[in-house]
Amino acid sequence: MAILQLSALALCLGLILWWAYPKAAVTVPQVQLSESVSTTTSPIFDAVNIEAKSAYVYDTVTKKVIFDRNSDLQLPLASLTKVMTALAVSNLLSDRDVVTITQSDLSEDGDTGLVPNEEWSVKDLLDFSLIVSSNDGARALASVAGAFLGPTSSTSAVEAFVGNMNSTAKGLGLTETYFLNPSGLDASETLAGGYGSAKDMALLVDHILRNKPHLLEATSFDRLRISSGLAAHEALNTNKAIDMIPNVIASKTGYTDLAGGNLVVAFDAGVAHPIIIAVLGSSFDGRFQDMAQLVSSTLDYLAQK
């Protein structure tokens, strides 16, 4: 009888506690947005059919989002990383500082014509590296700029520089963005060299245009002849859509196995009216076709305003 009474008492106590205390929250897995989910302010964009997983069209004058497709989705950046590399370098070095190419710098994938002991001004090497998307150039710049940050025995100059890139991104409020290297090359078969969103990349370019308008100026040309202290280099823009976009202010391509095709472009849609478009997760050629569609639709949209 005593056992039954104790059991009943325990049951009652358990029921009281169950009602008195809140139940543990159920963790709901995050659902990744579908590639087809888009928001836009105009039916003009209804006919847009792009390959990109993510896209963002931003009017820097009105601060209005003209088109949005999964713009907060965090994706591999590939060489769009070099936009942040350029900003971080410009914060640490002057245009006239000298960068000497080392054999270590040339260990990066991709040969863009740089040679050991070649001396460059920071400005010229930045212009060259952005236009041709030079991984060697990005590493050389990161190594010299990182040396000013006080690398330690356990942290190399390049690692210190990447840390600065990440702190810069955080300071700018780029919530989906972080970097593992200054070039954007895939770190492994499953790990990218940098991650971010289409929205973050557009806002990064907007920040640069407002604060350092000449930093990306070279990327508005289809080709430039740029000389180091050793040789003259023909720099061909990796953006194949450069001639299809009116009044380009800045552009940067990106492509790796993990990222697919990425592209960010800023162009003037009118007098002092920059529009920034970023597409992530397209294909090698698809990114250019995606950009052409979005530029055309944006101009049609603005013409009706």
Side-chain angles (χ1 to χ4, degrees), residues 80-100:
L80 297 194
T81 292
K82 295 184 179 76
V83 176
M84 177 59 82
T85 298
L87 176 60
V89 166
S90 72
N91 290 336
L92 294 167
L93 302 175
S94 74
D95 285 350
R96 296 182 180 180
D97 283 335
V98 175
V99 176
T100 301

Side-chain angles (χ1 to χ4, degrees), residues 51-54 76-78 80 253-263 279-288 290:
E51 291 184 44
K53 296 176 182 176
S54 175
L77 291 175
L80 297 194
T253 60
Y255 182 84
T256 66
D257 290 342
L258 289 179
N262 297 340
L263 181 60
V279 295
L280 300 182
S282 188
S283 61
F284 186 85
D285 290 323
R287 56 187 164 163
F288 304 120
D290 290 348

Side-chain angles (χ1 to χ4, degrees), residues 111-152:
D111 181 4
T112 51
L114 301 182
V115 296
N117 302 317
E118 190 174 14
E119 293 185 346
W120 289 81
S121 70
V122 165
K123 182 184 185 308
D124 286 342
L125 187 54
L126 272 174
D127 288 349
F128 178 81
S129 299
L130 287 168
I131 294 174
V132 307
S133 205
S134 174
N135 301 319
D136 297 337
R139 181 180 175 85
L141 288 160
S143 182
V144 173
F148 284 86
L149 296 169
T152 65

Side-chain angles (χ1 to χ4, degrees), residues 174-238:
L174 306 181
T175 57
E176 302 302 325
T177 299
Y178 72 96
F179 306 97
L180 277 73
N181 60 50
S183 67
L185 283 170
D186 291 341
S188 71
E189 292 183 356
T190 57
L191 184 65
Y195 292 86
S197 66
K199 179 180 179 180
D200 278 2
M201 290 303 100
L203 295 180
L204 173 59
V205 171
D206 183 40
H207 170 81
I208 291 173
L209 294 181
R210 291 178 186 278
N211 295 276
K212 301 195 175 193
H214 299 297
L215 185 60
L216 303 176
E217 186 176 16
T219 65
S220 65
F221 297 93
D222 63 346
R223 66 180 64 209
L224 284 176
R225 191 170 180 81
I226 306 176
S227 297
S228 68
L230 190 64
H233 295 260
E234 189 75 13
L236 299 179
N237 201 320
T238 54

Side-chain angles (χ1 to χ4, degrees), residues 1 8 17 25-26 28 42 86 94 99 137-138 152 169 221 234 246 261 268 273 278 298:
M1 186 69 173
L17 291 173
V26 177
V28 179
S42 170
S94 74
V99 176
T152 65
F221 297 93
E234 189 75 13
D268 259 328
H273 193 162
T298 298

